[in-house]
């Protein structure tokens, strides 16, 4: 994501103009744009005109529209984002209050004004979205079998299939037809891979397959780099890691990422750090020593008691909670994040609902905490709060 212009005041008012440059940028935009926000972008709208003789004609025109957002629709497979709302500024071809859906596109600017102001979470999303590729992309993976492969980017927020390669390889091994088909497959796969990765970033590249296909592809890469004198590719020899997978389907990637060998190689990536955090949390939860709690009310009480602060306190929260349609609910979680980070000095990790760690967290209600000191019976306290009515000083129930 490219930051085109930013004009945000201290009170959070103002606008930010961004240009999505990568499919993953649409995911960031999806997490940024909320109902009631003002969004300005280019739109393709059908315009009907009436001539002096009374005849009408209809044409589709590119115009810039400002809409008050009502809903968003994100397609994770196509990485497309559709934003629906009502037109908030009149143009010669559109009236205020009319409904329109803006289709955000790569390489096209959009300007966003937050209805409730740019809070700390929204600003952090913009910051992460605009980081360089090496910071956002933790690693690459190629999951393959003979004749088929998927090139996958392991990003900070999502695991995205960037390209698929399919080349017919004759099944009969040992013959010239099979060897030529395999060589063509490897060459096509290498060319596609080099169009997506930046060798200067020196990110790990996992080559996964059942059998020996991944190892053969690694050998082909190094032989090709030597033959063509590709020094940049040769310099990244150590970046390629061959691992076994149960199948050549991209769904086998989750299994690959759980192997100790891969986790050791990816230990500095956001994906592995967040996976380890969830593993640590689950370990503490099984110990049942009062240092791990999950659920909205339990975690909020732990924060109120100062147990998620300096010295090891960690708040784990799913980014799905910040996509709440109700502004008050979003504010609730933003205030909790600010309290832990700014007032208590604790660590806050916003986990992506698209990653395995985020999905595990969503299974626990989307929020959990590792405490600096043990607390007991928070679940009992939360039940009391829910069932005990508030009593006024005159004894009346309120």
């Amino acid at each position: 994501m490219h930051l085109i212009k930013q004009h945000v005041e201290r009170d959070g008012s103002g606008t930010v103009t961004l240009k999505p440059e990568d499919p993953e940028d649409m995911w960031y935009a999806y997490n940024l744009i909320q109902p009631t926000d003002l969004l300005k972008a280019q739109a393709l709208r059908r315009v009907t005109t009436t001539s002096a003789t009374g005849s009408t004609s209809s044409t589709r025109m590119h115009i810039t529209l400002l809409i008050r957002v009502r809903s968003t629709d994100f397609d994770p497979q196509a990485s497309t984002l559709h934003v629906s709302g009502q037109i908030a500024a009149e143009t010669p071809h559109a009236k205020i209050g009319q409904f329109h859906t803006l289709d955000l596109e790569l390489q096209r600017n959009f300007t966003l004004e937050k209805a409730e102001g740019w809070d700390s979470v929204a600003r952090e999303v913009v910051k992460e979205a605009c980081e360089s590729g090496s910071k956002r992309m933790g690693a690459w993976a190629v999951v393959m079998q003979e004749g088929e492969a998927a090139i996958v980017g392991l990003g900070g927020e999502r695991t995205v299939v960037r390209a698929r390669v399919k080349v017919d390889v004759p099944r009969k091994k040992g013959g010239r037809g099979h060897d030529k088909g395999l060589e063509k497959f490897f060459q096509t796969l290498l060319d596609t891979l080099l169009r997506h990765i930046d060798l200067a970033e020196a990110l790990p590249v996992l080559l996964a397959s059942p059998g020996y296909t991944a190892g053969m592809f690694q050998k082909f890469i190094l032989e090709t780099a030597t033959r063509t004198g590709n020094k940049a590719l040769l310099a990244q020899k150590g970046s390629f890691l061959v691992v076994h997978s149960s199948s050549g389907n991209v769904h086998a990637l989750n299994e690959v990422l759980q192997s100790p060998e891969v986790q050791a190689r990816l230990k500095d990536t956001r994906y592995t750090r967040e996976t380890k955090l969830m593993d640590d949390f689950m370990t503490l939860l099984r110990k049942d020593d009062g240092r791990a709690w999950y659920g909205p009310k339990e975690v909020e009480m732990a924060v109120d008691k100062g147990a998620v602060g300096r010295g090891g306190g960690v708040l784990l929260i799913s980014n799905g909670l910040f996509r709440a349609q109700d502004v008050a609910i979003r504010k609730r979680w933003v205030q909790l994040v600010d309290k832990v980070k700014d007032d208590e000095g604790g660590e806050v990790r916003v986990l992506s609902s698209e990653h395995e760690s985020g999905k595990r967290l969503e299974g626990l209600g989307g929020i959990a905490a590792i405490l600096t000191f043990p607390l007991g019976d928070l679940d009992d306290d939360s039940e009391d709060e829910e069932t005990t009515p508030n009593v006024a000083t005159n004894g009346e129930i309120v």
Side-chain angles (χ1 to χ4, degrees):
M1 189 87 78
H2 182 55
L3 179 61
I4 302 297
K5 185 169 59 177
Q6 178 173 292
H7 182 71
V8 178
E9 303 293 343
R10 287 189 177 183
D11 62 359
S13 61
T15 62
V16 173
T17 302
L18 299 163
K19 181 169 75 172
E21 299 178 314
D22 185 275
E24 191 173 359
D25 291 339
M26 290 302 181
W27 170 253
Y28 283 99
Y30 172 55
N31 283 282
L32 196 59
I33 300 170
Q34 305 290 329
T36 72
D37 290 348
L38 285 172
L39 176 67
K40 181 190 289 184
Q42 196 171 76
L44 188 62
R45 189 170 174 87
R46 185 175 295 280
V47 176
T48 302
T49 56
T50 304
S51 67
T53 60
S55 63
T56 60
S57 62
S58 180
T59 57
R60 296 178 72 85
M61 297 178 58
H62 282 283
I63 58 177
T64 299
L65 291 179
L66 178 71
I67 67 170
R68 177 74 67 180
V69 177
R70 290 175 65 93
S71 64
T72 56
D73 179 27
F74 178 72
D75 183 344
Q77 300 301 320
S79 290
T80 55
L81 178 59
H82 312 289
V83 185
S84 300
Q86 289 179 279
I87 294 173
E90 192 161 333
T91 74
H93 307 293
K95 296 181 180 180
I96 292 177
Q98 290 182 323
F99 286 89
H100 188 85
T101 297
L102 292 174
D103 300 322
L104 298 191
E105 300 177 12
L106 296 181
Q107 307 304 326
R108 287 189 182 276
N109 297 356
F110 69 86
T111 299
L112 184 65
E113 181 179 347
K114 304 294 290 180
E116 299 296 322
W118 288 88
D119 56 45
S120 62
V121 173
R123 294 186 194 206
E124 188 63 26
V125 172
V126 172
K127 179 183 175 183
E128 286 185 12
C130 296
E131 283 181 342
S132 66
S134 59
K135 290 182 179 179
R136 280 194 351 192
M137 193 62 65
W140 291 90
V142 183
V143 186
M144 70 183 87
Q145 58 192 19
E146 285 194 0
E148 293 184 31
I151 298 172
V152 183
L154 305 177
E157 290 286 323
R158 303 171 62 216
T159 300
V160 184
V161 176
R162 294 302 182 90
R164 293 184 185 272
V165 174
K166 188 170 184 177
V167 175
D168 288 333
V169 178
R171 291 188 176 184
K172 188 176 180 181
K173 297 185 178 182
R176 289 188 62 186
H178 176 271
D179 293 344
K180 281 191 172 183
L182 193 59
E183 182 178 353
K184 182 181 179 182
F185 168 58
F186 284 159
Q187 187 63 62
T188 304
L189 180 55
L190 177 57
D191 292 342
T192 306
L193 181 63
L194 292 179
R195 283 198 297 270
H196 284 83
I197 68 174
D198 184 352
L199 293 174
E201 293 177 350
L203 296 177
V205 181
L206 310 177
L207 306 178
S209 76
Y212 303 101
T213 308
M216 294 167 66
F217 180 53
Q218 182 192 41
K219 182 181 178 183
F220 178 84
I221 292 172
L222 299 179
E223 288 177 348
T224 302
T226 302
R227 187 181 72 253
T228 59
N230 190 332
K231 294 182 180 179
L233 185 55
L234 279 173
Q236 302 308 319
K237 177 181 177 180
S239 298
F240 296 97
L241 175 65
V242 175
V243 291
H244 180 269
S245 63
S246 59
S247 78
N249 191 292
V250 71
H251 297 297
L253 184 59
N254 282 335
E255 161 208 333
V256 169
L257 294 173
Q258 298 306 314
S259 74
E261 182 183 15
V262 170
Q263 290 193 355
R265 176 63 73 90
L266 304 183
K267 64 180 183 193
D268 295 327
T269 65
R270 176 176 171 179
Y271 179 93
T272 303
R273 289 195 303 268
E274 292 182 353
T275 298
K276 185 178 184 304
L277 266 176
M278 280 304 299
D279 289 342
D280 291 345
F281 172 81
M282 296 305 295
T283 298
L284 286 172
L285 191 63
R286 284 190 292 270
K287 286 183 179 179
D288 195 22
D289 63 356
R291 283 196 57 214
W293 287 94
Y294 65 90
K297 290 189 175 295
E298 290 82 354
V299 171
E300 285 177 315
M301 282 192 288
V303 172
D304 288 341
K305 293 175 184 291
V308 192
R310 294 178 181 84
V314 183
L315 174 67
L316 303 170
I317 185 166
S318 168
N319 60 8
L321 294 182
F322 300 112
R323 293 196 294 270
Q325 298 288 316
D326 190 328
V327 174
I329 293 176
R330 176 185 165 83
K331 275 187 173 181
R332 173 186 180 185
W333 303 125
V334 171
Q335 289 170 358
L336 188 68
V337 165
D338 290 343
K339 184 171 184 177
V340 171
K341 191 185 295 184
D342 301 332
D343 299 344
E344 303 296 334
E347 182 181 357
V348 175
R349 287 297 180 92
V350 180
L351 305 192
S352 171
S353 57
E354 289 286 296
H355 273 173
E356 190 64 28
S357 56
K359 291 175 182 176
R360 291 164 67 189
L361 182 61
E362 286 195 330
L364 300 173
I367 187 166
I370 297 174
L371 312 189
T372 53
F373 54 84
L375 290 175
D377 301 328
L378 289 182
D379 45 2
D380 293 338
D381 291 345
S382 65
E383 288 175 7
D384 291 342
E385 283 190 5
E386 291 173 357
T387 56
T388 302
N390 292 321
V391 181
T393 53
N394 61 3
E396 294 178 356
I397 295 177
V398 296

